[in-house]
C-alpha cells in the first residue's frame, strides 16, 4: 500500500514541477459535462464517470498523473476527456488527488485536479437473492441453480464438504462466492448439508448453511477399496491384497468394463469373485522409495466410477508375506506393468472353482484425461480456500500447493479458458505437495484439484 501512495505522489510532483516551468494558459477553458471532480467512493467500486470538455487546447498534447494507478481509465475523443472505471479494491481509506494536464497552441498549460476520498468497504456476507436458493432438491446427474454469495472485506473463506460434482468459485472482482455444478450421477439419495464460512478482518467467523437434497438414480456403478487402500512395502516385496467392492458393472472374461492404471513398477495379479475384486502383486526390486498408485475405473451403463489405492515403497519396510497365488474360491491372472492400459496380456490362469471369474488387464502407467467442466472463476493469492475438510490449496509464483491432513490420492487437471485439457496428473500425497506449472504458456487457466471425491476449481494466471 505504501508503494502505491509513493508512486502517485511522485508522479504528481514531477508533473507539477514540469508545469511550473511554463506559463499558465489564459485561454484554455473547461466544462464538466458529467460526474464530479470530487467524489467519495468505496475501494473496489465504480466511480461516477467524469466527462470534461476543453476549449482552446492542442488535442494532441495532454498527459495525466495517478489515474491509471488508481485502476481508472482515461479516454480522449477530440477535446473531450472521459475518466471511468473501478477504484482498486486493495486501497486503504485515504484521499487521493490525480490530475489532467493540457496544453494550448502557445505551449502554455492548464491543470485539472480530481480528488477521490476512498473508503474501505464495510463487511458484507449475504446470499444473493437473484441466484439459486441455499436449499435445493435435484436429481443425481442434474445441475443445481448456482448459489451466489456477495461479500465485502473478508480475509478468508471455506466451504464444508459438498455433494460430489459441485465446485466453489471465488471472484475477487465481482466480490462473489458461488457454488455451482452438476451432481455426480453416482451420488446416493439423501440430504447433503454444507456450510460457507468467512472471516472478517478481525478474524471473526460468519457462516451460512444450506442443504442439497439429492434423488439418486438406480443402477449406479460404484467401486471402492475396502481393504488396504494404503500400505507400505519394500522394493521387491509383495503387496497386501487390495480388495475392492463393485456394483452394477457387467463382468466379462476380458474385463473390458474395467480399466487399470498404475504408477507402481511391478506386476499385478487380479482376481474377481462375484462383486469382489482382489489385486495382488509384487513390487519391482529396482523401485525407488516414494509414493505410487493403482487406479481402477469401473464402467457402467449410466456412469463410470474410480477407485485408488496408494503404495508407499520404503527400503526398510517389512515385506508383506502376502502372495499373488489363486485361492480355492477364485482364479487369477498375472499382469505386467509394461502392458498398455486397457489391453489384455497373455497369462496362465487355472480355474479352481466353476463359480469364480478371472481375467487379465493391463495396469500401465498411462494417465487418463477426464474432461472437467470449466467456468469462469478468479482466485486471490491472499485468500485461503478450503473445500474439503482440512484440505488447503494455494497458488503463487506459478506453483500450485496442495496440503492434506492425511495420506490421500490427488488429481490435478489444468484447462485453458476454452475448456481444453492441457495438463493432467494424479498421485498420492502425504502432507503437502507442490506442482509447478511454469512450463505452461503464459496466460489464464482453470485448475481443478480433486481428492477424496471432493474438488476445488479456481482461475490462475501463469506468468
Amino acid at each position: 500500500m505504501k508503494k502505491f501512495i509513493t508512486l502517485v505522489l511522485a508522479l504528481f510532483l514531477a508533473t507539477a514541477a514540469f508545469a511550473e516551468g511554463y506559463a499558465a494558459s489564459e485561454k484554455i477553458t473547461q466544462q464538466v459535462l458529467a460526474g464530479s471532480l470530487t467524489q467519495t467512493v468505496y475501494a473496489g467500486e465504480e466511480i461516477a464517470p467524469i466527462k470534461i470538455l476543453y476549449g482552446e487546447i492542442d488535442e494532441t498534447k495532454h498527459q495525466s498523473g495517478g489515474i491509471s494507478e488508481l485502476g481508472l481509465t482515461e479516454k480522449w475523443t477530440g477535446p473531450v476527456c472521459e475518466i471511468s472505471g473501478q477504484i482498486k479494491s486493495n486501497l486503504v481509506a485515504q484521499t487521493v488527488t490525480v490530475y489532467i494536464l493540457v496544453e494550448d497552441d502557445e505551449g502554455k498549460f492548464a491543470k485539472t485536479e480530481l480528488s477521490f476520498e476512498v473508503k474501505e468497504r464495510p463487511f458484507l456476507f449475504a446470499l444473493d437473492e437473484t441466484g439459486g436458493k441455499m436449499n435445493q432438491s435435484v436429481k443425481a446427474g442434474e445441475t443445481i441453480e448456482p448459489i451466489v454469495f456477495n461479500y465485502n472485506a473478508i480475509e478468508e473463506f471455506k466451504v464444508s464438504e459438498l455433494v460430489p460434482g459441485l465446485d466453489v468459485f471465488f471472484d475477487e472482482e465481482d466480490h462473489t462466492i458461488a457454488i455451482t455444478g452438476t451432481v455426480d450421477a453416482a451420488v446416493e439419495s439423501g440430504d447433503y448439508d454444507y456450510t460457507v464460512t468467512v472471516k472478517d478482518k478481525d478474524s471473526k467467523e460468519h457462516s451460512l448453511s444450506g442443504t442439497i437434497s439429492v434423488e439418486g438414480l438406480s443402477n449406479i456403478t460404484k467401486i471402492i477399496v475396502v481393504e488396504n487402500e494404503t500400505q507400505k512395502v519394500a522394493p521387491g516385496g509383495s503387496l497386501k491384497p487390495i480388495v475392492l467392492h463393485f456394483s452394477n458393472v457387467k463382468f466379462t472374461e476380458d474385463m473390458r468394463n474395467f480399466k487399470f492404471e498404475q504408477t507402481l513398477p511391478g506386476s499385478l495379479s487380479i482376481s474377481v469373485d462375484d462383486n469382489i475384486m482382489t489385486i495382488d502383486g509384487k513390487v519391482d526390486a529396482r523401485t525407488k522409495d516414494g509414493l505410487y498408485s493403482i487406479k481402477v475405473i469401473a464402467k457402467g451403463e449410466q456412469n463410470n466410477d474410480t477407485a485408488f489405492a496408494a503404495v508407499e515403497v520404503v527400503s526398510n519396510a517389512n515385506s508383506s508375506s502376502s502372495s499373488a497365488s489363486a485361492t480355492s474360491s477364485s482364479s487369477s491372472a498375472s499382469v505386467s506393468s509394461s502392458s498398455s492400459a486397457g489391453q489384455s496380456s497373455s497369462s496362465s490362469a487355472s480355474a479352481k472353482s466353476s463359480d469364480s471369474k478371472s481375467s487379465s488387464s493391463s495396469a500401465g502407467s498411462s494417465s487418463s484425461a477426464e474432461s472437467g467442466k470449466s467456468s469462469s472463476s478468479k482466485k486471490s493469492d491472499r485468500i485461503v480456500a478450503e473445500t474439503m475438510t482440512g484440505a488447503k490449496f494455494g497458488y503463487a509464483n506459478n506453483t500450485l500447493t496442495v496440503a492434506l491432513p492425511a495420506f490421500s490420492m490427488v488429481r490435478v487437471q489444468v484447462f485453458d479458458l476454452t475448456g481444453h485439457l492441457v495438463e493432467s496428473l494424479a498421485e498420492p500425497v502425504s502432507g503437502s505437495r507442490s506442482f509447478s506449472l511454469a512450463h505452461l504458456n503464459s496466460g489464464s487457466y482453470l485448475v481443478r484439484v480433486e481428492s477424496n471425491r471432493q474438488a476445488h476449481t479456481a482461475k490462475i494466471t501463469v506468468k
Side-chain angles (χ1 to χ4, degrees):
M1 191 63 255
K2 292 182 178 179
K3 289 183 179 179
F4 172 76
I5 296 174
T6 302
L7 176 62
V8 172
L9 290 177
L11 285 171
F12 177 81
L13 294 173
T15 309
F18 170 75
E20 288 175 358
Y22 296 82
S25 173
E26 297 180 357
K27 48 198 259 185
I28 294 177
T29 62
Q30 74 172 39
Q31 179 182 359
V32 178
L33 303 178
S36 172
L37 301 183
T38 302
Q39 297 188 26
T40 299
V41 62
Y42 285 107
E45 291 191 345
E46 299 274 345
I47 68 167
I50 302 168
K51 184 181 291 188
I52 305 170
L53 170 63
Y54 289 95
E56 302 296 332
I57 66 170
D58 185 334
E59 296 177 9
T60 65
K61 296 181 179 180
H62 49 72
Q63 55 183 295
S64 60
I67 291 177
S68 61
E69 285 75 13
L70 276 179
L72 306 178
T73 59
E74 172 188 353
K75 177 183 177 182
W76 285 85
T77 306
V80 177
C81 179
E82 296 180 65
I83 307 296
S84 62
Q86 187 180 65
I87 294 287
K88 287 185 176 179
S89 61
N90 60 349
L91 294 187
V92 298
Q94 61 183 294
T95 298
V96 181
T97 300
V98 298
Y99 58 86
I100 302 167
L101 198 65
V102 292
E103 185 177 348
D104 62 21
D105 57 1
E106 297 176 353
K108 297 181 179 180
F109 292 87
K111 182 172 68 174
T112 303
E113 292 187 348
L114 300 86
S115 178
F116 297 96
E117 182 183 355
V118 181
K119 292 187 174 182
E120 287 190 61
R121 300 183 69 156
F123 173 79
L124 168 68
F125 177 53
L127 178 68
D128 187 338
E129 296 295 340
T130 63
K133 295 181 179 179
M134 294 192 67
N135 300 321
Q136 296 188 30
S137 297
V138 64
K139 292 182 178 180
E142 292 185 348
T143 301
I144 67 167
E145 293 183 52
I147 304 167
V148 181
F149 303 89
N150 296 315
Y151 75 85
N152 284 335
I154 67 170
E155 296 298 324
E156 182 179 328
F157 82 91
K158 61 183 177 180
V159 181
S160 65
E161 188 169 326
L162 289 171
V163 180
L166 302 187
D167 284 333
V168 180
F169 297 92
F170 170 73
D171 192 322
E172 188 177 21
E173 287 188 4
D174 291 339
H175 292 267
T176 59
I177 301 169
I179 298 173
T180 186
T182 300
V183 177
D184 286 354
V187 173
E188 297 179 350
S189 296
D191 293 334
Y192 295 82
D193 299 327
Y194 66 93
T195 300
V196 182
T197 303
V198 303
K199 287 184 179 180
D200 59 25
K201 63 181 180 179
D202 298 321
S203 296
K204 182 179 179 181
E205 290 192 347
H206 309 263
S207 298
L208 291 173
S209 299
T211 301
I212 305 296
S213 299
V214 179
E215 180 182 343
L217 303 178
S218 59
N219 300 321
I220 293 300
T221 295
K222 288 187 178 180
I223 185 166
I224 59 172
V225 179
V226 294
E227 290 183 27
N228 297 319
E229 183 176 17
T230 62
Q231 60 179 289
K232 292 183 179 181
V233 64
S238 296
L239 297 175
K240 296 177 183 178
I242 300 169
V243 182
L244 303 95
H245 179 271
F246 62 87
S247 57
N248 295 311
V249 183
K250 185 177 180 181
F251 180 81
T252 59
E253 288 294 329
D254 61 3
M255 297 185 75
R256 64 176 178 271
N257 289 325
F258 294 93
K259 183 177 181 181
F260 300 87
E261 299 175 3
Q262 70 182 88
T263 62
L264 178 69
S267 59
L268 300 182
S269 174
I270 302 168
S271 60
V272 175
D273 187 7
D274 291 330
N275 292 328
I276 298 296
M277 176 183 292
T278 302
I279 301 177
D280 293 288
K282 192 170 184 179
V283 179
D284 191 298
R286 298 166 295 179
T287 303
K288 295 181 179 179
D289 286 7
L291 293 171
Y292 300 89
S293 65
I294 298 171
K295 177 180 179 181
V296 184
I297 302 173
K299 303 175 182 179
E301 294 182 359
Q302 298 199 61
N303 68 292
N304 298 337
D305 198 21
T306 303
F308 285 98
V311 178
E312 184 177 6
V313 177
V314 183
S315 296
N316 60 358
N318 293 325
S319 299
S320 170
S321 61
S322 304
S323 66
S325 61
T327 66
S328 60
S329 62
S330 66
S331 59
S332 64
S334 64
V335 182
S336 170
S337 65
S338 61
S339 303
S340 62
Q343 298 175 341
S344 61
S345 59
S346 60
S347 59
S348 61
S350 58
K352 304 279 185 173
S353 167
S354 59
D355 295 331
S356 64
K357 310 163 188 175
S358 71
S359 181
S360 62
S361 174
S362 70
S365 60
S366 62
S367 62
S368 61
E370 301 173 9
S371 65
K373 294 186 177 179
S374 63
S375 175
S376 176
S377 63
K378 296 180 182 177
K379 174 75 168 60
S380 168
D381 289 343
R382 61 189 179 86
I383 295 291
V384 177
E386 297 186 25
T387 58
M388 297 180 288
T389 305
K392 295 184 178 181
F393 311 92
Y395 180 80
N397 300 321
N398 295 335
T399 300
L400 174 71
T401 301
V402 181
L404 299 176
F407 185 81
S408 181
M409 287 300 302
V410 171
R411 182 175 65 177
V412 176
Q413 293 176 304
V414 182
F415 303 87
D416 63 24
L417 296 188
T418 66
H420 293 101
L421 184 70
V422 298
E423 185 87 357
S424 180
L425 54 93
E427 63 179 74
V429 172
S430 178
S432 65
R433 170 77 163 87
S434 293
F435 302 89
S436 175
L437 302 178
H439 60 283
L440 299 178
N441 293 331
S442 299
S444 297
Y445 296 87
L446 291 173
V447 61
R448 175 184 172 90
V449 181
E450 182 178 356
S451 180
N452 295 326
R453 297 179 181 271
Q454 296 299 306
H456 174 73
T457 302
K459 187 175 181 181
I460 62 171
T461 300
V462 175
K463 299 179 180 179

